Amino acid sequence: MKQIVLNHVTKQFGTRGGPDVIAVNDFNLAIEEGECFAFLGPSGCGKTTTLRMIAGFEDLSAGEIWLGDRPVSDKKKNLYVPPEHRGLGMVFQSFAVWPHLNVFENVAFPLRVQKRSKTEVYEAVMQALIHTDLAGLEHVYPSDLSGGQQQRIALARSIVTNPKVMLLDEPLSNLDPQLRESMRFEIKSLQRKFNFTIIFVTHDQSEAMALSDRMLVMDMGRIVQVGSPSELYQNPTNQFVYGFLGLSNFLRVVVDKGKLYVKDGPAGQAIPFDIPKGISGSDGLLASRPNEIDISAKPGSGYPGKIEKRLYLTYCIEYHVRLGNQTIRVHTSHANVFAEGASCSIMFKNPRWYAAESKEIERERIERQIGV
C-alpha cells in the first residue's frame, strides 16, 4: 500500500528584488507503507522544504499530497489539512524539547493537545519512555540530560501518539559521531516495533545508506535518482550522484583516436580504459573511488604518477597522487607504504565516464546553498 504520494508538487518562494526561486520543482514520488525512505542532497536542494510540505508546515505552490487514501494538500482544490490533523510524528534537527517541562510532560504534550484522559496519557507516555530507554527519567528536566537523551525525548514524543508516518529532519546531526551511529540502530529498532513509515531527510550519505530501504538524491529542487542504497551507489545516473555518494575522484580526461588521456598530461601516455560507445574526441571526467584504485611501485604496471602526500587514517593510508597536472586520492592498506615524492603506477579498477557539468549548473547549486 502506498503510504505517501506526491503528485507534481512544486514550491516557489518570492525574493526581494529578484526572480522567484523554485525550491521544489515538479516532485513526483510514492512511498510504500513500512518503508524507511531517505531524502539525500546538499543544502539548498529542497529536501527539507519537501518534508515540511508533507508535514503541513508549508503549503504547496502546485500539486497534491496524499497520506494513505486521503488528500492532505491539493492546490487546485484549495485543500490544506493542518499539521495537527495529519497524524504524523516528527523529529527535528534541533532537540526541540521544552526546557521548563520535565521528560514526562515533554513526551505527554501531544496527548494533552488531543485531550486524552489521564490514564491514557500515563500509559502511553510510560510505554514511549520504555521504548526509548528513558524509563526512570520522567521527572528529570532536559538541561540535566545529555544530547542523546534529549533527542530520545523528541523520539518518544513523536511515537507516543502511535503515528503511521514518522518524519525525521536531520535528527542526528547535532550528536557526536559515536552517539549518532548508535541512534541509527535505535531508530530502526523503533520502526520494527511500531511498524511506521519513515521519511528521513539528511545530507549525510552514510546515514541515508545505513537507515533506508530506498532513497532519493535531490539536486536544485529536482529528483535526480531513486532506488535502493546499493543501486544508487553501484549505478549512479550521473556525475552529481556519483560524487555525492561517497568519496570520489574526477579526473579531467580527453578521448583521442579511441584512447583516453589525462587532459594536459604527458603526451602519448594513455589510461588503460575501455571507452564507452558513442564517445569520441570529447572532454569528460573519469570518475573513481579512492578505494577502487590499485597503486604499485612497479613501473609500467599502470598510469605513471607521483606521491605528493601521505596521510595515515584509521582504516587505510590515503595517498595524494599527481597525474599530469591533476591530483587524485588513493586509499590502500597500511602495508602498502610509499614515501612522499616516490614514483608509482596507478590502475583504475572500476572507473566511470561522465560528461563534465557546465559552470552554470555548478554556480546555481552554490547559490542555492548560500541562499543567494
Side-chain angles (χ1 to χ4, degrees):
M1 173 185 171
K2 291 180 173 59
Q3 185 82 65
I4 304 155
V5 177
L6 290 81
N7 292 323
H8 301 290
V9 170
T10 297
K11 181 63 179 181
Q12 189 167 312
F13 292 103
T15 59
R16 292 183 179 181
D20 289 351
V21 173
I22 301 177
V24 178
N25 194 345
D26 196 28
F27 198 104
N28 293 280
L29 182 67
I31 298 173
E32 298 292 327
E33 185 177 7
E35 269 195 304
C36 184
F37 195 101
F39 288 5
L40 184 65
S43 299
C45 73
K47 58 187 185 297
T48 293
T49 299
T50 304
L51 193 77
R52 289 177 60 82
M53 288 190 287
I54 295 170
F57 299 138
E58 295 278 357
D59 200 3
L60 317 181
S61 300
E64 59 182 18
I65 297 175
W66 289 67
L67 297 179
D69 58 359
R70 69 176 182 131
V72 292
S73 293
D74 190 326
K75 200 61 181 177
K76 282 187 178 179
K77 296 180 180 178
N78 200 28
L79 171 68
Y80 167 75
V81 176
E84 61 269 24
H85 297 307
R86 297 196 178 196
L88 305 174
M90 187 154 188
V91 180
F92 298 92
Q93 179 177 356
S94 60
F95 299 142
V97 295
W98 288 284
H100 64 289
L101 299 178
N102 63 26
V103 170
F104 185 97
E105 289 303 326
N106 262 282
V107 177
F109 183 82
L111 300 175
R112 305 277 193 216
V113 172
Q114 295 177 1
K115 299 182 178 179
R116 302 280 190 94
S117 70
K118 288 185 179 180
T119 300
E120 286 181 300
V121 170
Y122 179 81
E123 291 178 352
V125 171
M126 294 309 294
Q127 282 300 308
L129 295 180
I130 289 171
H131 288 304
T132 52
D133 294 327
L134 291 171
L137 298 175
E138 51 267 26
H139 300 299
V140 178
Y141 284 83
S143 59
D144 295 323
L145 298 174
S146 67
Q149 289 171 318
Q150 291 184 49
Q151 195 61 299
R152 286 194 186 95
I153 296 174
L155 281 170
R157 187 174 58 213
S158 67
I159 66 173
V160 75
T161 57
N162 196 25
K164 292 183 177 179
V165 178
M166 285 274 286
L167 306 179
L168 310 180
D169 186 10
E170 304 208 37
L172 309 182
S173 60
N174 288 331
L175 304 178
D176 63 68
Q178 187 173 358
L179 185 56
R180 187 159 58 236
E181 185 173 348
S182 67
M183 286 294 289
R184 293 174 191 167
F185 293 107
E186 292 184 28
I187 289 171
K188 288 295 286 185
S189 177
L190 286 171
Q191 185 189 23
R192 285 191 291 268
K193 288 176 183 176
F194 290 90
N195 196 35
F196 44 65
T197 304
I198 290 179
I199 299 182
F200 188 89
V201 164
T202 182
H203 65 273
D204 186 325
Q205 56 266 41
S206 297
E207 283 181 7
M209 299 185 80
L211 277 169
S212 60
D213 302 306
R214 284 195 304 148
M215 56 193 284
L216 64 79
V217 176
M218 289 185 69
D219 185 30
M220 296 185 291
R222 295 183 181 274
I223 297 174
V224 182
Q225 190 173 358
V226 180
S228 69
S230 61
E231 287 170 348
L232 267 64
Y233 186 81
Q234 294 172 12
N235 297 293
T237 191
N238 61 16
Q239 174 199 343
F240 176 78
V241 177
Y242 188 100
F244 202 79
L245 295 179
L247 295 175
S248 55
N249 296 300
F250 292 105
L251 190 66
R252 297 189 305 278
V253 293
V254 62
V255 177
D256 184 29
K257 296 179 181 179
K259 293 186 177 181
L260 193 68
Y261 299 90
V262 173
K263 192 168 185 179
D264 300 324
Q269 184 65 58
I271 299 174
F273 180 68
D274 292 329
I275 306 295
K277 292 181 179 179
I279 296 176
S280 176
S282 60
D283 293 355
L285 298 170
L286 189 69
S288 60
R289 305 288 185 195
N291 64 338
E292 295 181 339
I293 300 173
D294 286 335
I295 182 169
S296 170
K298 184 179 179 181
S301 60
Y303 194 89
K306 187 174 184 178
I307 305 295
E308 283 198 333
K309 188 181 294 185
R310 181 179 64 191
L311 303 171
Y312 281 90
L313 305 179
T314 55
Y315 59 95
C316 71
I317 299 178
E318 178 175 292
Y319 292 107
H320 293 194
V321 180
R322 177 162 287 277
L323 306 180
N325 64 357
Q326 301 178 62
T327 302
I328 63 170
R329 292 184 294 179
V330 178
H331 288 177
T332 186
S333 74
H334 289 100
N336 202 3
V337 180
F338 292 81
E340 292 184 357
S343 297
C344 62
S345 295
I346 294 296
M347 181 66 73
F348 298 97
K349 290 191 288 188
N350 187 31
R352 291 176 178 270
W353 167 278
Y354 293 111
E357 283 188 342
S358 69
K359 293 182 179 180
E360 288 74 18
I361 291 176
E362 183 60 26
R363 187 180 302 115
E364 181 182 348
R365 189 178 294 129
I366 293 171
E367 288 175 352
R368 282 174 172 264
Q369 290 177 14
I370 63 177
V372 173

